[in-house]
Every structure is written in C-alpha cells, then in structure tokens.
Amino acid sequence: MDEWGKRIMRMILAKRPPLPYWAQILIPFIAIVVSLCLSSIPIIYAKGDLFKSYFYLFYGALGTRYNFLETCVKSSPLIFTGLAVAFAFRAKFWNIGAEGQLLAGAIVATWIGINVPEMPKFAALALIISAGFVAGGLWALIPALLKTKLKVDDVVSSLLLNYVMWHIMGALLFGPLQQPGSSWPRSPSISELAKYPMLLARSRFHLGIVMAVVAIAIIWFINEKTVLGYRIKSIGANLKAAGFGGIPTTSVIIKTAMISGGLAALAGVGEVCAIHYHLLMDVSPGYGYSGIIIAMLGRLHPLGVGLSAFFFSMIIVGAQTMSRMTGVPVYIADVIQGMSLLIMLVAQLFTEYKIKVISK
Amino acid sequence: MSPKNRSPIVEMRSIKKCFLDTVALKSVNFTLYEGEICALLGENGAGKTTLMNVLFGYYACDDGEIYVNGKKVTFSAPRDAIAKGIGMVHQHFALVPSISVLENIVVGIKESKNLFLDMKEAKHKLLDLEKMYGLFVDPDVKVETLSIGEQQKVEILKALYRGAKILILDEPTAVLAPLETKDLFATLRKLTENGNSVIFISHKLYEVMEISDRIVVLRNGEIVAERHKTETNMRELASLMVGGEIDLGKRKNVGFKLINDEIKDVLRVNDLWVMGNRGIEAVKGVTFSVKEGEILGIAGVSGNGQKELAECLFGIRLPEKGEVYLDGLSLAFGNPFFTVMNGMGRIPEDRIDIGLMMDLTVEDNIILEMHAFRPLKNGILLNYDAAHRVSDELIQKFSIKTAGRDALTKTLSGGNLQKIILARVIYRNPRLIVAAQPTRGLDVGAIDFIHDQLITTSKNNNSGILLISEDLDEVFSLSDRIAVMYEGKFMGIVDIENADRETIGLWMSGVKESCA
C-alpha cells in the first residue's frame, strides 16, 4: 500500500492571487452555463429532445408577455428570501431559517388579512406588510440571540426553527385559523382590503414585485452607504477585529438578523396577499431554501441576488412548459438549481485556489 | 559525573536554517551526551525551538549534519526521528481530548502484522512504562478530564511508548503549577537513571540550575556558551542569554524623560489580576503607571502575562479584579469602544487575527476606529468621501505600500499591515498608545519606521506609550523606564539610566536582585 502511495502524484490546493474584478462577476454566469450543459445529461436520460427542451425552457419563461410576467411574479418571493439570506451571510450570520421566517410573515399576514377592520386600503396594506416584517424579524431574533448570548450555532438553530414554524402553522391551520366547515388545513380567504393591487392588466404582476425591486435598492444602499453596512461587512470579514475596533458586534448581528428575517417574511406576505389569498400548508415550495442558493449565486450582492432570483424563476416557470411540451419531468428545475449551486461553490473555490500537482 | 566519560548520543554539526530572509540558526554545533539532562537556554527567537524542531524532523535544515549514536541520519519527517528513538513534547499538546489516554497513546502507530490493534497488549505495555518511570495516569480515562500536568505525562508516555531514548521537552514548565513542576523533575531524573537523555528548553534560570547537568545558551541563532552546572551561576547565565552591555548612545529615543510625580498619569493600573486561557492567572496583581510623554517598556519572555495584560487594557479580556484609569477615567473593562473613544491607541500583538480584516480593503481597515465619529459618521450614513480623504492622506503620510485604498488588505506585506494599524492609531492623537510586540516579524525598515513614529508621538503629542516587547534591544532603545514581567508579576521598574542588561536578564529569568 505504501508503494502505491509513493508512486501516485499528489494534488494539493494552493492559494492563488486574487482574480480581477471582471472575472469575479463572470463566475456566476459560467456556473449557470456549465450547470445548464450538465443538465443535458438527465434530459437525455429522460429521453427528451435536447434542443426542444431548452427551447421550451426559455420560451416558457420569456417567450410571451404572460410568460415573462409570470417569471416576474415567481421572482418576487425568491428575491426576498435571497436578499434575506445574502444580507445575513455578509455578517457571517448563517441564516438558514428564511423558510420559517417566510411562514411567520405568511401567518401574520393571513391573520390580519382575515380580521382587518374597515380602513383605507393603503393603511391596511401598510399594516399587514409591517406586521409581517416584524413577525419574521422576531422569528430571526431567536437564533441571533442564541448565537450572540449562548454561542449556539446559528446554522443549526435557524434551520431547526423552520420546522418549528411549519408545525405552528399546521396547528393554526387545523385550529384557530382553519376555515369554518372545512376539513382541510386551509384558512378562510383574506379580505379584499388585504389583497395586493395588481399593477398590469391580464397578469398577476402585483405590488410585491415592485416591493422586491425597491428592497434590492434599499439593501444596496444599506450595504454601500451606511454605517450599519460597513459594520456588517467588517463583522463578516473578521468578527474579532471588528469587536476590537469598537464595533458593537452583538447589536449589529441582532439588527442584521432582524432585517434578514423581515425580508424573508415579506416573501410570505406576498404569497398570501397576492397569490393564494389564503394560508395553506404549501404556501412556500421551499422559497426559503432556494434563497440560500440564490444568495450564493448572486455572490451576496443585492443586484446579483436580483439576477439570480430571476434566473431561478425562469427555470421554475420554464420547466413547466418544457415538461408539458417534451415530457421531461418538471423536477429538472430542481436539478438545475442544485447543480448551479454546486458548480458555483466549486468555481468560487477556484477563484481563491488552484490545483497544484506534486509528483513525488 | 562529567560529560567527558559519557559518549555523545546526538551530534548536530554546523546546522543552518533560514526562514525566508531571516536566519534562525547560523551554523550551530550541538552535542547531547547519553544519560544527561541538557538545558537549552535563551530568549524568545534565540533559536531553541527551531534547533529542536530540526532534530525532531519537523524542519529540514538548510545545511549541516545530524548524527545519532554515531550514525549520520537525515530526517524528512518526525516519524523518521521517532524511529531513531527521539521523542518531543511540545508546548501545545497534540492530544485528542475526547478519547482515552490509551487510545491517544496508540493512535497513529502502525502495527505491521495485524490489521487490528491489540489494545490489551498495548495497555499492558503502557502500565509497565508507567511503573518504570513513576508516571501514573489511568489509561482508560478520557484526556479531557485530565489536568495540564497529567496531559503532559501522557505526552511523555506517548514518546516513551514509541521507544524514545532521547526526549525533547519544549518549555515544559510553562504550563505547570509549582507542584507539578516538582513532579516533572522527578520524572526527568528517573528517565536519566534509566539511561535516557533529556533536552530541556527553558528560559527560567532557577529551573535550569536545578534540573540540568549541562547548560547550552543560544542567542540570535548561535550557541554562545556551554557550561557545566557546577561551573556557572545564574548571573553569568543571564548575561550570556541577553548579550553584552548595551550602548545607550545608540538609543533611538535620544534624551531621557525625567519621571517625577508632577507629571500626569495617562494610564494607571492598580492591582490588576487577569485570567489566562488555560484557566490559571496570567497577570497576578500588577500596579504601575504611564506618564504623559513617557515610553514605558515592559520586557519579558513572552507567555509571562504580557499578552493578557495588553488584552485587558484593549478591552477584549475581562480582569478578575483591579482598576485601570485611562487619563483619569475609570476604564470600562470588556468594552473596546470605550478605549477607542477615550483616547487609547491600540496596537495588538495578533495584528492579523484581531487587528485587521484581511479580506476587506485598506480603507476599510484604516477607518475602523474612526468610523463611529464625525466626520465619517453622519447620522446613519457613512461619509465615504471623508473616508477616501483620510485613507489617501494616511497611506501617503505613513508611506503604506499598496496599490491604493481599494486594494485588499491581504495583498500587503507585514510591515505595511502594521503601518495601517499605526496610522489609524496615531491619526486620532491618542493620549496613550498600548503597543504589544509592535515590530515582531517585521523587516528592519518597517521596524525603524514604527520606532520613529512611536517616539515622535510621545514627544510631539505628549502621548504616553506602553511598549510591551520581548525584544530587549527594542525596549532598551525606546523606553524611558523599563519594567520586567515574569510569571504575571512585575519584577521591578527601573529608569533607563540605571538599567543594566544583566539585571534585566536576571529579572526576565525570574531572579530578583536589586539593580546595582
């Protein structure tokens, strides 16, 4: 066995000098192209026509006005969860709990949406949106406090709280929030006052999409122009050095977590108030988890998050058309999503390291 | 027993070792005789540990030869050294806390024939060893439940189990309580009675005189003296260790500041006790003050509490008890922002670990300690125009070599990293600068620059400077007064005019004698 060990070459990872800025920007795009190429393998395996499949994937996402606007509709929750994760990750607060925070927002939006008294529509919407934001923020406060006060790992606590919130939602939907007379876990419909306005005719293009774009701008502003943004960046780069330099690390991490949770919650508010108009167990098909991939693919930059959320939304919406037209299962969308994350992570590794072959 | 009637067991001939551009060992000849305890004495950076790491196969030497039992050997890894009967116990133990003593001892041993380890036989062998050397540790308890002294026994047993006849101990008493030290010495004597040889790395004169047969003194990568214990005394060893007389004419800090009670204290420390990471007190009741415009140098071998003292003053480590006054203001412990706000400039020992954010830009690091104040902070906004101005100004003024304020900090050299910290400290006109090992690992040019800046700031800005350094030359060159820290206490404070190297050397080694 030793002989073998001596004969084969050894490969090690060696640090490389930092890549130029344009290369850093290019990487997510390369990752997307490579993952689309690699996704050909399962498409061929599913006996799909490759050219036709990709054509319908993009046609389904962008080909008609309606398809394009549907892709925008789908991007809205993904932008919010992606921003939520990216904002927290910049401070190295590993918020894997966007899913639970989303559900918290959805639950609160539903509850207020059902019970909202007569008032001007803008006031009702402002109430629901801010209450949803606060609900998600408070749910994210739990892992933040556990991390800063008790040094509990934030990955584990924020992840597990997703299941807690899912079961809370289940209990509510089989209990106080259940539609009277129904045996299904669904809530009554929300009041007309609570519904997001539709902004474009013959589509589901709603207020939440504009809010998501505004959120991108606000997060960019916080990151680039404010003291808080500088502090978050510093904490993410070196927690000890940031603390040594006088930054109140605990309070910054708590603020970061609450803003992150609030953003994720807005995804849930939008799903209830613009898509379903009631709460159901399937309110989120894992938007919170997709947000993690989107944040990584967007390199934690708000604009990058916007782009990668739109790309993801294209894949999800387009995969349905592709599936209808070619018979390739819609699950191909999940394959492409997962693949793009893995390739992104590998590509990121190679921006900092190169493989060095050592022959003994 | 004179070494003459013993045969050499290890001979290292003209060993050279360089790290990048610093010479760690310049042609060292070292001999170890069978059955002796040989102490390697020297300051930090004298080359003791490097020399032993070469012998143990950790480092390949650039030049020179090693003979074990008269045969020439080349070690490319510690396992080669272990195969020749050499064992080493490092300052930081390499034990797995969550598994048992026995498992720790057998882990990594290749049994050539069997696929599985015979744990029963291993335990038997271990118990025999324990009996033979009086090193009693329960083989079945988990290492995490053991005291530091017991863990050290496990390390020694590990080496013996692998057949070590030559044992290297790197500063073994640094982590031990006095009683444990006594225990260790008894073990070492037993080892030599059984024909083993021991190399004992230390800077503590009392211990060296107590335990060793022969003493080898290293300074700046060279062996400056070898003495049999009976031929020497602590005073001689101390002056050998720290080198000859200092020429005060060569001081960078020209002129002495007369210290008297009329000058205001910028730092006053009263009976400060600080716990170290190992759960033992690292700073044991120090009291001193730093005056306006004064440079107070704290000399001492590292690991005697200087780091904990500095961290406590920086606001990143809580003391057990004691008071600190910064410019008359009672210092809020554990609050770095308080120190920043109230005029303490801080140069940390671990500049990369706690001083800088290596993945951010030069500017991000320059503004770290000033971003919470005007003009940089403007409500919730950060005024990046002001940040750019300050960064450009400081990069120029401190001639920081970088591609610009937007360059990533990790692309800078060590000297320039330290300049970033120095720049952000001096920019705020601090009342006091606490500089911990400010020039360690830097090149001569950067060292000169940093020294000049510290002196200028103390003179022009009337800032007090607390210089904590293990480099005695630096302390002599800059300080107005010198204090020596040893095992968490001050051995004494002396004006530079009355300080002589021999006394300081003795103080650093734990020998208390008044300055003559």
Side-chain angles (χ1 to χ4, degrees), chain B residues 15 33 38 63 86 125 159 167 191 302 324 328-329 336 341 353 369 457 490 493 505 508:
Chain B
I15 301 290
Y33 296 94
C38 172
D63 199 15
I86 299 174
K125 189 175 159 191
L167 206 61
L191 279 165
S302 71
V324 175
L329 206 66
M341 198 171 66
D353 201 26
E369 289 178 351
T457 312
F490 273 21
I493 301 186
M508 284 167 65

Side-chain angles (χ1 to χ4, degrees), chain A residues 224-225 230-231 238 244, chain B residues 346 356 364 371 380 382 384:
Chain A
E224 303 294 327
K225 299 288 173 199
Y230 170 77
R231 292 181 164 179
N238 185 344
F244 175 80
Chain B
R346 302 159 311 146
L356 294 166
D364 289 330
H371 83 275
I380 64 160
L382 190 64
Y384 275 99

Side-chain angles (χ1 to χ4, degrees), chain B residues 11-84:
Chain B
E11 281 185 271
M12 301 176 79
R13 293 191 194 153
S14 48
I15 301 290
K16 276 195 196 105
K17 177 73 195 170
C18 298
F19 293 107
L20 296 173
D21 48 358
T22 52
V23 183
L25 297 171
K26 337 173 175 160
S27 195
V28 171
N29 293 299
F30 172 78
T31 310
L32 178 71
Y33 296 94
E34 199 171 356
E36 73 167 344
I37 299 180
C38 172
L40 274 185
L41 184 68
E43 286 185 89
N44 293 102
K48 298 166 295 189
T49 304
T50 309
L51 183 66
M52 288 303 108
N53 276 337
V54 168
L55 177 58
F56 192 53
Y58 255 116
Y59 299 146
C61 52
D62 300 337
D63 199 15
E65 290 164 345
I66 303 172
Y67 296 83
V68 176
N69 289 320
K71 278 189 222 110
K72 191 178 169 192
V73 292
T74 39
F75 297 148
S76 59
R79 63 164 179 272
D80 302 336
I82 291 167
K84 293 276 180 241

Side-chain angles (χ1 to χ4, degrees), chain B residues 278-299:
Chain B
R278 298 195 194 100
I280 44 174
E281 254 130 17
V283 179
K284 300 170 187 162
V286 297
T287 300
F288 65 95
S289 63
V290 180
K291 305 271 180 193
E292 267 180 336
E294 176 205 20
I295 302 182
L296 172 65
I298 297 184

Side-chain angles (χ1 to χ4, degrees), chain B residues 111-181:
Chain B
E111 299 279 346
S112 49
K113 281 167 205 150
N114 300 333
L115 187 57
F116 298 102
L117 278 167
D118 186 345
M119 289 302 269
K120 229 180 191 167
E121 195 192 297
K123 188 170 174 180
H124 206 74
K125 189 175 159 191
L126 177 62
L127 287 172
D128 283 350
L129 274 177
E130 291 195 2
K131 222 174 284 165
M132 191 166 164
Y133 294 107
L135 281 164
F136 295 106
V137 189
D138 183 348
D140 297 320
V141 300
K142 286 185 179 171
V143 165
E144 62 196 359
T145 64
L146 300 179
S147 71
I148 298 289
E150 288 170 313
Q151 290 186 25
Q152 191 176 56
K153 285 183 186 171
V154 177
E155 280 282 10
I156 295 173
L157 283 167
K158 203 163 108 181
L160 294 172
Y161 191 92
R162 285 160 172 72
K165 299 293 289 174
I166 302 153
L167 206 61
I168 307 164
L169 299 159
D170 191 359
E171 305 254 0
T173 58
V175 294
L176 299 183
L179 224 75
E180 291 176 319
T181 303

